[in-house]
Amino acid sequence: MERSFSKEVQSLRLGDGEIFHGEGILAVTKALLQSGVSYVGGYQGAPISHLLDVLCDAEDIMSELGVHLETCTGEASAAAMLGASIAYPLRGAVTWKSIVGTNVAADALSNLTSSGVTGGAMIIIGEDYGEGASIIQERSHAFAMKSTMWLLDPKPDLPTIVNMVEKGFELSEASRTPVMMELRIRTCHVHGSFVAKDNRSGEYSGNNKIKEPKFDYGKLAHPPSTFAQEKDKVETRLSNARKFIVDNGLNEVIDGRLEDVGLILQGGVFNTAQRAMSMLGLGEAFGDADIPRLVLNVVHPLVPAEIESFCAGKKAVLVVEEGNPEFIEHQINTILRKADINTVIHGKDCLPLAGEYRTEVLLDGFVKFLDAAQPALLEAPDMGNTAARILDARAEGAALIGGGLPPRPPSFCTGCPERPVFSALKVLDAEMGATHISADIGCHAMATLPPFNMGNTILGYGMGLASSASVAPNFDQRVISIMGDGGFWHNGLNTGVASTLFNKDDSILVVMKNGYSSATGWQYLPSSARDRHGDNPDMSVENAIKGLGVKWMRTVSTYDVAKMIKTLRTARTTAEKGLKVIIAEGECMLARQRRERPEAARKLAAGKRVVRTRFGIDDEVCTGDRACIRLSGCPSLTLKPNPDPLRDDPVTHVNNDCVGCGVCGEVAHAAVLCPSFYRARVIANPNWIDRRLHALRRRVIAWLMGEEVAAQEPVGEKAAA
Amino acid sequence: MTDATPQPVTILIAALGGEGGGVLTNWVVTALESHGLIAQSTSIPGVAQRTGATTYYIETFPTPLAEMGVDRPVLSLYPSAGDIDLMVASELVEAGRAVQNGYVTPDRTTLIASTHRHYAIGERSGMADGRFESGPVLDAAGRRAKTAHLADYMALARESGTTLNAIMLGVIAGSGVLPAPEDAFAAAIRDTGIAIESNLRGFAIGLEQARLGAMADLPAPDAKRFRGTPASAVEARARADFPEALQDTLIEAVRRLVEFQSPDYAALYLDRLAPVHETGDLILTKEVARHLALWMSYQDVIRVAQLKISPDRRRRVLAEIRAGDDDPVVVTEFFKPGIDELCSILPSILARPILALSHGRRWRDRAYLGLHVKSTTINGFLRIWLLAKLRFWRPHSHGYREIQHNIDSWLGVILHAAETDAALALEIALCAQLVKGYGDTNRRGMAALNTIRTRIIDPVLGETMSSAHAADAVANARTAALSDPTGQLLNDTLNAIATARPQAARSQAAV
């Protein structure tokens, strides 16, 4: 895993009254243990990848409590785990990245929510929305509404988050309904503190197993039970949930001086709203503000009585609801209409329809709202100017810079095994013309960014090949689909490989086999060399593909650019019809470096022979055309000032981040670029053979060079005129 | 609500993914918490963790927790424009981005930034020089910040064998913006328990830097490497016949051409330059002098072999890979000459038919001799050494004749243009920049030069095309050729020029 939490997980053992310091996801884990869960699971993906990492690192602590951990192969399997809570009084929690993970889990979720639960069931949703998000921008809120699940959106401080996890399980049990808790990106990574409680075991768990199976047809998601379940959802579970929310004060009303107006806001945007009001002179540092607020830590279901009593007597209320459509705003309008309360509801008329609600956005929206609502006691004549000054800070800074700062998109890491595959594809494009490439989710999606700009569609995780099914028969050239080993196990084996074979489609699939779910932080996959316990799972991508009946399959080391080009050329031109699979094999370089570097350092310290490889460019031979960078884009392949007094343009340069993977040299060689690349192997702690051989070589070469060495003075350096 | 109570202190750290901005963030949080303060940090790693631009955000509060009672301040997870007390950037353009986003304001922001450059992909992939100019960013940073600590902390880290993060932490502690003492930050390094000694060394350097309150100078001009070997008679002639302003270029050129071929060849260089000098246009002469020398020392396999075995090159490689003179090092060279490169060193009588045959059968793009040669082994060195020794044969080779012909033709056009249009002559001279690289790249560059010549230069000089703005047309075409390796942009530009030109001619006729 990318990040080890082995030290931090010790804080999961804290007991009553002790102070916990740490990250949001670690706090959630602690809250799960304080709630007495019997099972946890999930599928990695930002921003909750670390939650899964924490669970793995905490497996010892959890097993003492009898908690089972399942690292699932996809969100569908994670959602299905919650089925344990239908018939049995088992509390459990699963986690994934949303919206995409929720989409994948949808089938199991619908069945789960129809049946309803006995033990508390919770889904921790990493809401990958706004700046830093890596996926399509949609709301998870719709799933909560259509499947009748409850959605928690707590204020982003650790005490509230922990409390809402604990209360969430009680709410789930009180209303026999699964609960989703959404945590935004910044909240998942927030560092803070809270007062801990003791952990506790579930009623039943690995330590106290269930003895009898329970049969209840009424709890099966199967007709005719489903008809009764639909009624039960809206008639019983919903009202029980509303009662629990009110009885336990899960939503908060905070009074303010300007009594004729108010804000109804999602808990998750509370801190941002507080800061925006402080900046306008309407709030202070400890959470007080002039505008009264109804803070929804539970955003679904709404409690009509709460909305009515908050709005009654106010002339205008602003709903601060991030994302679209504005489900909460719609519901509030309906609630007030039915209660004949004529408070004007503002929302998306003052705030943007789409996008993240950052401080500047709310600041601007509050000014618009107060301007429209004109609260009687408002005394902030300077408010508009304050907002303008803050928003102008941007314009003034940008004007000074003069625009045009080079963007810095993410890219393949130094030494990444996936880069050379796209280099090979690009070299081949120059020879054969470009063909359609169905891209996929994973690190390889970086190929869609400069300098490769490759990939014509992205349809979802593991969907690369499936999305080619209708392109291939309509495209002049044979099309190529990309899939990582992560996407392959997530669903590509079924939706892509099996479906293509079943339909006898003529297509090329490149499987990037780097051994991990790398983009999310190197979680193990079924085909990883080892699993989280250190055992070899012995589930190979190749065997799975062969097992389905693929005839044309080649495994190529990604660093062998020439062979990769040749294999791709064959796949594109062979007369053989059907699915052609190329397994592009190369271990994730970050993971490999993390393993090999300490090993090399140990050997070096112990005086053992270590060979260090890196690449370089002769600055006198390089003419600065940069074709090498356009074909590789390696971060360690950069520029340096041209030392040649006759040239101005910078030369290409390999910096010290180079890990010696050799792709730059291989690509330059395969694409016939230039002879400026060299590979240097330095032997540290050489043995006597190394030393003697080196001395001999140096002597002979010095003798051959004799005259030149004597004649040539060292080259001098001076600043350019 | 007017608020006279203490306000949160806000810290935004801009970094590149994979640089370890999280480590710096954790140190700051640990320092604040250990001093009894509340600290909240957050980040948006997302996909940016793979070398993209990213940020970390920290808030703290000046009142110690012990004096706070049960209430806690509400800390924001978002940085806001105009609301940042301490802006830290690990690189110059990231500092620029912070200024652009309004995170650096004169009323309150202390800016700490390392002024080194980590080039973005757009800057790195241009065919000429795509580097973003540092000056405006430094200037803007200095003007927007209340206090600025700008220095090349990365160079300091490299020199002292420590990390950028450790130095930055030192500057943060020394800047006095945060409500914790310097010791608390040093303690945070010790608390992490990793590379304590070197990180504390970096921290001390940072503290010192903060005291200096460094404001960076503009980057120094690039260091240039001049050849040291004197070449007697020809050099004396260069000194005698050409003005002082050209001497740096000419001496370097003459020495390089003696090394490349012979004193006679260097003399030919001066012969060729003399008529250009006689035009009296010093700017033109300087550009021609530079490009002529580069073109005349063209990089055929013999020249590349010569460069690969030069003793200076060995010293450079060892420095580059941080190896000592006695460390056993094996250097492998990647050669892949094609038919063009091989024919270039054959006599024309052989080269011409081979080239014609291979052109017809499209061998030129396919037939190569791929060689991985270890230049540090006796066998490998000998092969390259023998290749370099072919220098005596070069004047009889096909490539030599072709190139001398191309050079003379280029010079002829420049001199022709110089009679009437100095600006045009200069632009034509600068077109030599197009001919660089090897193999296909070189062919493409030469083809671009020829296209510009046949479609603009020749028609203008032959007076079949209007001469108005001819220099601009050549400059635009050259820029287009250098910004798009496929040649499409050059084509579009030439077409646009061609459609605009006849109109220009007609309107002139009408007058």
Side-chain angles (χ1 to χ4, degrees), chain A residues 417 421 511 513 542 552-568 581-586:
Chain A
V421 178
V511 180
K513 194 180 140 197
E542 289 89 335
W552 198 106
M553 183 171 75
R554 310 275 186 274
T555 300
V556 184
S557 159
T558 64
Y559 296 109
D560 190 343
V561 178
K563 192 173 175 197
M564 184 60 76
I565 293 174
K566 205 171 143 214
T567 312
L568 282 164
V581 180
I582 298 171
I583 310 282
E585 194 168 37

Side-chain angles (χ1 to χ4, degrees), chain A residues 48-65:
Chain A
I48 54 78
S49 288
H50 286 171
L51 177 49
L52 218 60
D53 297 345
V54 166
L55 293 175
C56 288
D57 282 334
E59 205 166 357
D60 289 347
I61 301 169
M62 291 196 301
S63 65
E64 290 166 19
L65 297 164

Side-chain angles (χ1 to χ4, degrees), chain A residues 186 191 271 275 281 356 358 360 408 618-621 626 637 642-644 646-647 675 679 681, chain B residues 1 41-42 59 74-75 78 81 94 103 118 124 128 224-225 256 290 299 308 313 330 332 437-438:
Chain A
R186 287 173 185 269
H191 170 103
N271 292 27
R275 179 57 46 83
E356 206 174 9
R358 307 171 53 86
E360 298 93 331
R408 206 185 293 279
D618 280 309
D619 53 25
E620 286 207 322
V621 183
R626 241 75 74 192
L637 206 52
N642 202 325
D644 185 339
L646 301 181
R647 294 184 203 267
R679 178 178 60 217
R681 285 190 205 282
Chain B
M1 186 171 284
S41 70
T42 189
E59 290 205 352
V74 177
L75 301 178
Y78 286 92
E94 295 318 310
Y103 295 139
H118 187 110
R124 291 190 280 131
K224 294 291 188 187
R225 203 160 58 211
R256 188 176 303 193
R290 198 159 74 82
Q299 291 173 329
K308 290 274 185 189
R313 190 260 180 166
V330 178
T332 306
Y438 302 80

